[in-house]
Amino acid sequence: MNDWKRQHPAAVFISFLSNLKEMVISLIAIFVLGQTSPGLGSNFYFVIMGVILFLSLVNGFFKWWTFKYHLVGNELNAKQGLIFRKKRYIRKERIHSIDINAKLVQRLFGLVELRIETAGGGNEPEFKIIALEREEAVRIKQELLQKEVRYFEDVLADNEHEDIEDGAVVDSDEGVAGAVEELPSFRWELSGDRLLIAAATSSGVGIAATFIAVIVSQAPQFLPEAVIEEYVRWFIQSSILMIGALIAFILFAAWLFTVVTTILKYGYFTIEKRGNDIHISRGVLEQRQLTLYAQRITAVRIVQNPLRQPFGFVAVFVESAGGGRQDEDLSTILVPLCKRNEVNSILEETIPDLAIDPEYEGLPRESLRRYLFRLLIPALIVAGVVSYLSPYGWIAIVLPLIAVLVGIWQYKDAGITQVGDILCLRKRVFSKLEVIVPRKRIQSMMMTQTVLQKFDDLYTIHVSILSSVTGKTFSVRHIGRWQKEEALGWYSYEVNDGSRINDLEF
């Protein structure tokens, strides 16, 4: 596979359709949000968008024509550009994740999208081909995963037709790029009933409800003025029960929306462990196959929202230099839903170095009032303003009570501990979050102290790791002095006499 290759010609139309989708979304947003200028009619926007789409089609053709790639030795090379030529060289050992997606637009042409990410790739993947035959994408993926086989190929250069056994088989007719089919040592599948539970307890209801509320609030501008006056008068004169029913309807519609989107997103979810690689497949409409290197995972996050907590269900995410998605907070979901007591057994099979069951050390008693004041003061201000301005403002008196309960909840769930070379942090904003990170993956550890924290000798710990885009920092507020000293002593690579420890692995 040493010749330069182009992606499938359908890439021109896939790029065009993607731009068209973004244009339609922008057009809907303009009409719904009413941001059009009085001097510019809707025809003006249609003409402008038509010109942009035509230029997008021309640009897509030149991108397809000038983009070429090939694999040679241990490098994946790509070049692109008509006037300004751009070349990329990606070494196999620097690759952090390989992602094969089959979005709707790709499935229209029977193709897939290949994404390869490395550390420091920025907002976009280091390498992306938007239109590729599935067989070609799989072959590239297998070629990039054949580090060990490449070694054997060099050793056995004079015996090029030998087969390699012991879990891996090389097809001598197709070469190394042909196939190494290694049986998975571990497989986990999200069952149908758990998929329904994950969809029903998803935490995206708030975002969906906000979106639906915006749509409902903009609807009056499309209705006749007489209807609007009648509607507003009816709404103002409605009882609190009627207003509550409207809010309940919006929340129910948002919940239905999140149920459907979650099922489409995590349907057919499976994990397979092959050697040191973790293969994650998922998706009903948009099918995704992601491969992560287990040894390059920098942290594990265990998230439990309040809806799942009574049933003991959690979701598990992993942090890596590649593979993160915007809709998952730039992380990769490892398990959409499982019992908390099942997490350790899954990690033992996939990321054994991080399979621990920590016992967290709680925060000092002085921390409690910090958590309470931080929520109680804003709640009192909001409750006072709402009570003064709204006829039903008296209901806002529940806000301070909710703030106190949430503050106590956050205090009880916050904790920190060290287990060997692994640091564990736990906190709660609304959902409970646990972070498990090995010392050698921590980029920096920092302690800060505000003026108010000085009165109680409290600190905030910040732990930064390498993750998608620019990295990620996890913090726990209001830890005690002894917890600060323990954490810094644990992280320091200096022994008591001030000398550096030299035998640690980085």
Side-chain angles (χ1 to χ4, degrees):
M1 190 169 176
N2 293 324
D3 298 328
W4 289 96
K5 291 188 175 182
R6 287 193 178 92
Q7 54 186 327
H8 195 280
V12 179
F13 301 100
I14 291 174
S15 176
F16 171 78
L17 291 176
S18 298
N19 292 331
L20 179 62
K21 185 184 73 173
E22 294 179 3
M23 287 289 180
V24 171
I25 294 174
S26 301
L27 199 61
I28 292 174
I30 289 173
F31 279 106
V32 170
L33 299 178
Q35 298 299 315
T36 54
S37 171
L40 302 175
S42 58
N43 290 337
F44 172 81
Y45 292 98
F46 280 115
V47 171
I48 292 296
M49 291 183 178
V51 172
I52 293 175
L53 287 175
F54 174 74
L55 294 177
S56 171
L57 189 63
V58 175
N59 183 57
F61 171 78
F62 282 109
K63 276 189 174 180
W64 167 79
W65 180 259
T66 58
F67 180 83
K68 296 179 181 177
Y69 69 93
H70 77 155
L71 282 165
V72 53
N74 288 323
E75 283 188 343
L76 173 62
N77 299 335
K79 58 183 181 182
Q80 186 177 19
L82 185 62
I83 300 176
F84 301 100
R85 305 284 289 181
K86 182 178 180 180
K87 293 185 178 180
R88 291 180 179 177
Y89 302 92
I90 304 172
R91 295 188 63 81
K92 287 182 179 180
E93 61 269 21
R94 307 306 299 172
I95 294 173
H96 284 225
S97 69
I98 303 173
D99 204 348
I100 297 178
N101 294 329
K103 300 178 182 177
L104 269 181
V105 64
Q106 272 89 11
R107 295 177 72 178
L108 291 175
F109 299 93
L111 303 172
V112 298
E113 177 187 84
L114 178 69
R115 301 162 63 100
I116 297 173
E117 298 192 34
T118 62
N123 291 322
E124 293 296 325
E126 187 75 14
F127 182 82
K128 181 171 72 172
I129 303 178
I130 63 174
L132 207 60
E133 298 282 352
R134 179 175 289 277
E135 294 76 14
E136 174 70 1
V138 172
R139 196 168 70 144
I140 293 175
K141 176 181 174 180
Q142 290 177 340
E143 174 79 6
L144 296 174
L145 293 175
Q146 302 312 315
K147 295 183 285 295
E148 294 83 1
V149 174
R150 177 65 65 189
Y151 168 78
F152 284 113
E153 183 194 44
D154 294 337
V155 173
L156 304 174
D158 296 332
N159 302 310
E160 58 183 1
H161 297 294
E162 290 191 22
D163 293 341
I164 300 175
E165 297 181 351
D166 192 18
V169 179
V170 176
D171 187 339
S172 56
D173 294 332
E174 297 181 5
V176 176
V180 175
E181 294 293 342
E182 188 174 358
L183 295 176
S185 58
F186 172 74
R187 178 183 171 84
W188 186 89
E189 184 176 341
L190 182 65
S191 60
D193 55 344
R194 288 200 171 184
L195 174 61
L196 290 176
I197 295 173
T201 58
S202 173
S203 59
V205 175
I207 299 174
T210 302
F211 178 75
I212 293 175
V214 169
I215 298 293
V216 172
S217 67
Q218 296 297 320
Q221 63 180 305
F222 301 103
L223 299 176
E225 191 171 339
V227 175
I228 297 301
E229 290 180 357
E230 188 66 23
Y231 166 75
V232 173
R233 189 181 303 115
W234 170 82
F235 187 77
I236 292 175
Q237 296 175 351
S238 296
S239 65
I240 188 171
L241 189 61
M242 213 51 154
I243 296 174
L246 177 62
I247 296 174
F249 171 76
I250 292 176
L251 291 175
F252 180 72
W255 178 77
L256 279 182
F257 178 79
T258 56
V259 167
V260 174
T261 55
T262 303
I263 290 175
L264 295 177
K265 185 176 182 181
Y266 295 126
Y268 307 117
F269 190 100
T270 59
I271 310 168
E272 288 185 352
K273 180 74 180 292
R274 297 180 182 180
N276 288 322
D277 303 326
I278 300 172
H279 300 259
I280 301 173
S281 302
R282 74 181 196 199
V284 177
L285 294 179
E286 179 184 342
Q287 297 171 345
R288 188 184 186 201
Q289 295 178 346
L290 174 67
T291 301
L292 290 173
Y293 296 123
Q295 66 270 26
R296 292 182 179 173
I297 289 174
T298 54
V300 170
R301 280 196 301 130
I302 303 170
V303 182
Q304 186 176 52
N305 69 37
L307 293 177
R308 293 174 180 175
Q309 188 161 350
F311 308 100
F313 286 113
V314 298
V316 183
F317 296 81
V318 293
E319 306 294 340
S320 175
R325 299 283 293 259
Q326 289 283 351
D327 56 348
E328 294 172 354
D329 197 19
L330 297 176
S331 303
T332 299
I333 193 162
L334 183 68
V335 181
L337 189 80
C338 70
K339 290 284 189 179
R340 178 62 183 89
N341 55 18
E342 297 172 351
V343 173
N344 211 28
S345 60
I346 295 175
L347 292 179
E348 283 178 355
E349 299 290 345
T350 53
I351 320 167
D353 293 343
L354 300 182
I356 60 172
D357 191 11
E359 293 185 3
Y360 289 91
E361 184 180 17
L363 304 188
R365 183 170 298 178
E366 293 80 5
S367 303
L368 176 57
R369 59 171 170 265
R370 298 293 163 205
Y371 281 97
L372 292 179
F373 289 162
R374 186 165 171 267
L375 295 176
L376 185 59
I377 293 174
L380 286 172
I381 295 174
V382 172
V385 173
V386 173
S387 299
Y388 180 76
L389 297 178
S390 173
Y392 301 111
W394 57 269
I395 298 177
I397 61 174
V398 300
L399 289 178
L401 179 61
I402 294 174
V404 169
L405 294 177
V406 173
I408 295 173
W409 208 6
Q410 290 180 342
Y411 166 73
K412 287 185 173 296
D413 284 336
I416 179 174
T417 189
Q418 302 89 35
V419 181
D421 282 338
I422 298 176
L423 176 68
C424 304
L425 303 174
R426 190 176 66 184
K427 70 174 183 179
R428 175 186 293 278
V429 178
F430 190 64
S431 298
K432 186 164 73 174
L433 170 68
E434 295 180 58
V435 180
I436 301 173
V437 53
R439 178 166 60 175
K440 62 184 179 182
R441 300 301 184 193
I442 297 176
Q443 300 295 310
S444 68
M445 178 185 289
M446 181 172 65
M447 303 289 173
T448 59
Q449 186 180 48
T450 65
V451 175
L452 295 177
Q453 285 178 324
K454 281 185 179 179
F455 290 107
D456 293 318
D457 201 15
L458 302 175
Y459 301 84
T460 299
I461 181 173
H462 308 272
V463 177
S464 299
I465 61 169
L466 184 65
S467 184
S468 296
V469 188
T470 58
K472 201 168 281 185
T473 299
F474 302 103
S475 304
V476 175
R477 296 174 181 271
H478 313 313
I479 65 172
R481 170 179 284 277
W482 80 91
Q483 292 172 318
K484 180 203 76 166
E485 299 294 343
E486 282 185 4
L488 289 177
W490 170 85
Y491 182 62
S492 175
Y493 291 106
E494 291 186 354
V495 292
N496 292 333
D497 60 1
S499 60
R500 300 280 299 176
I501 298 175
N502 297 320
D503 57 350
L504 292 173
E505 296 181 358
F506 293 92

